[in-house]
Amino acid sequence: MDFDPPETVRPLLDRIARFVAEVVMPAEEEVMQRGWNAGGPLLEELRGRCRHAGLWGPQIPTELGGLGLGLVEHGLVSEQLGRSPLGHYVFGCQAPDAGNLEILHRYGTPEQKARWLVPLARGELRSCFSMTEPENPGSNPTMLSCRAVKDGDHYVIDGHKWFTSSAEGAAFAIVMAVTDPDASPHTRASMIIVPTDTPGFERVRNIKIMGDPGEGWASHAEIWYRNVRVPVTNLLGGEGAGFLIAQERLGPGRIHHCMRWIGICERVFDTMCRHVARRKIDGDKPLASRQIAQAWIAESRAEIDASRLMVLNAAWTIEHKGFAAAREQVSLIKFYVANVMQQVIDRAIQLHGALGISSDTVLAHYYVHERGARIYDGPDEVHKMVVAKRILARYS
Ligand SMILES: Cc1cc2nc3c(=O)[nH]c(=O)nc-3n(C[C@H](O)[C@H](O)[C@H](O)COP(=O)(O)OP(=O)(O)OC[C@H]3O[C@@H](n4cnc5c(N)ncnc54)[C@H](O)[C@@H]3O)c2cc1C
């Protein structure tokens, strides 16, 4: 296996890396300080420049105006974009829209595609994905309470959701609701498109993340669905297909997340190396002269490189052998890379001293907002269980 970027994407990766460094990163401070809503016009300007440069929507199919990259190629792009907290948003491949776009493209009816997919792909509207419920374990989504009951040619949805990322300002939600409580656990639920201006859709609040209230795309909402009526034509895929679609959404999504986390690791690693090389701690001697700094740099380098090879290997397996063949690898990378990222950020903060927990560098942002990586899309423990069970089955 050759994990060098294919010749076809190498020039593109170079251009993207330059665009991130020269256009996106300089805008970070303004957006992060003013917030995502006040920073909206600047973000739109950056998106315009990205489109103009022919870089919009790396993973979006070409017929929808994107670059139509495959999983490995987009993984490599995702790494470059992860180097800035604004990267994925500016390039139109941010979660949860990227996942929603993928399932609308695959399962949407022509009418659903015209109404939701096309403007989503153009970046003209945003969306959210509403599955997790405060009263039930998100790690076991067969235990959902939210119900969608058929009433003539409508579904009536009642339920309580939270951690619906990016709901503030979203035009529609894809809601996971139980349509047949008597069906087998994995065929009980369906995905239904709910425009957020439907009566009964109530965004209660944005949930604070370690003190940060969040806003706009960078927020996580608690939502009540009370007697929400939507036409049955808003059903996505078949009735009872919710879990099947969710699995398909999560497979490539985990590759994208892991590569984004590797991009974060690289940015943090770079920040850490620059700091220890510059910071004098004993007369003329820099922090880099201390063994602990050297050890953390060497360990971080090894772990980031290992992560990249593991993720590319998983992406390659999905592309060449299908998702089923990569199930174990996908669980491995999900918990391994999330922990590497957390460890690398923590080391960098420690070596920066007080500066590390200030908002004068990007480190504190990543520390707060990437801690969730070990929880969403399956907590560490569940992925470890999946991996161990599959391995041990080969010994029984
Ligand atoms: C930043 C962020 C963004 C999110 N965005 C979305 C979104 O857009 N849409 C959405 O629907 N949801 C979203 N979520 C929710 C996410 O999917 C859930 O948090 C996740 O599925 C875990 O569910 P839970 O929080 O209910 O934890 P629980 O299921 O209650 O689990 C709690 C803890 O118990 C342990 N645990 C659970 N199961 C097992 C097991 N089988 N064996 C051993 N230990 C176990 C783990 O340590 C786990 O962290 C988001 C979460 C975060 C943090």
Side-chain angles (χ1 to χ4, degrees), residues 19 47-48 72 80 87 107 128 163 169 180 185 201 221 226 238 314 331 361 372:
F19 191 93
R47 283 180 148 200
V72 173
Q80 294 304 326
Y107 293 99
C128 55
F163 274 87
D180 181 0
F201 178 99
R226 296 187 208 272
S331 277
T361 77

Side-chain angles (χ1 to χ4, degrees), residues 127-298:
S127 64
C128 55
F129 182 73
S130 216
M131 180 156 94
T132 308
E133 303 176 348
E135 297 82 6
N136 294 308
S139 51
N140 181 1
T142 62
M143 291 177 67
L144 292 177
S145 298
C146 179
R147 286 293 317 270
V149 177
K150 226 181 219 166
D151 180 19
D153 54 2
H154 281 75
Y155 282 112
V156 180
I157 303 174
D158 281 285
H160 187 199
K161 301 284 186 180
W162 80 339
F163 274 87
T164 298
S165 300
S166 314
E168 184 188 341
F172 69 96
I174 294 180
V175 180
M176 185 88 144
V178 174
T179 38
D180 181 0
D182 299 325
S184 66
H186 288 94
T187 56
R188 270 177 211 156
S190 305
M191 287 195 191
I192 301 173
I193 301 169
V194 176
T196 54
D197 59 3
T198 311
F201 178 99
E202 188 194 335
R203 188 171 59 82
V204 183
R205 59 170 176 145
N206 285 340
I207 301 155
K208 279 190 181 175
I209 302 297
M210 300 196 191
D212 182 351
E215 60 178 25
W217 171 72
S219 64
H220 309 281
E222 177 184 349
I223 298 171
W224 273 103
Y225 295 83
R226 296 187 208 272
N227 211 18
V228 170
R229 292 179 75 84
V230 292
V232 287
T233 49
N234 281 23
L235 180 70
L236 199 52
E239 217 176 71
F243 288 102
L244 187 80
I245 304 177
Q247 276 311 313
E248 289 190 14
R249 186 182 189 276
L250 287 172
R254 286 175 183 143
I255 300 283
H256 300 165
H257 273 311
C258 286
M259 289 305 284
R260 181 173 68 80
W261 299 338
I262 290 168
I264 292 171
C265 286
E266 292 291 7
R267 170 89 180 264
V268 168
F269 183 78
D270 197 39
T271 308
M272 174 164 71
C273 292
R274 281 175 205 270
H275 181 76
V276 299
R278 207 180 43 221
R279 183 73 163 174
K280 303 282 190 292
I281 46 141
D282 180 10
D284 243 9
K285 287 203 184 101
L287 189 47
S289 65
R290 292 300 189 265
Q291 207 173 15
I292 187 72
Q294 295 165 2
W296 280 350
I297 283 166

Side-chain angles (χ1 to χ4, degrees), residues 24-43 45-46 86 215:
V24 181
M25 283 182 185
E28 278 173 7
E29 203 179 321
E30 191 175 335
V31 175
M32 316 281 263
Q33 293 207 341
R34 297 178 64 203
W36 283 80
N37 287 341
L42 175 57
L43 286 162
E45 185 197 319
L46 297 182
L86 314 183
E215 60 178 25

Side-chain angles (χ1 to χ4, degrees), residues 3-20 55 58 67 69 72-81 83 91 259:
F3 289 132
D4 259 358
E7 280 305 324
T8 44
V9 287
R10 203 170 295 171
L12 179 69
L13 286 174
D14 290 345
R15 285 179 60 212
I16 288 176
R18 253 199 328 275
F19 191 93
V20 170
L55 301 173
L67 304 183
L69 298 184
V72 173
E73 294 167 333
H74 180 49
L76 293 162
V77 169
S78 202
E79 176 183 355
Q80 294 304 326
L81 302 184
R83 295 177 70 98
F91 279 67
M259 289 305 284

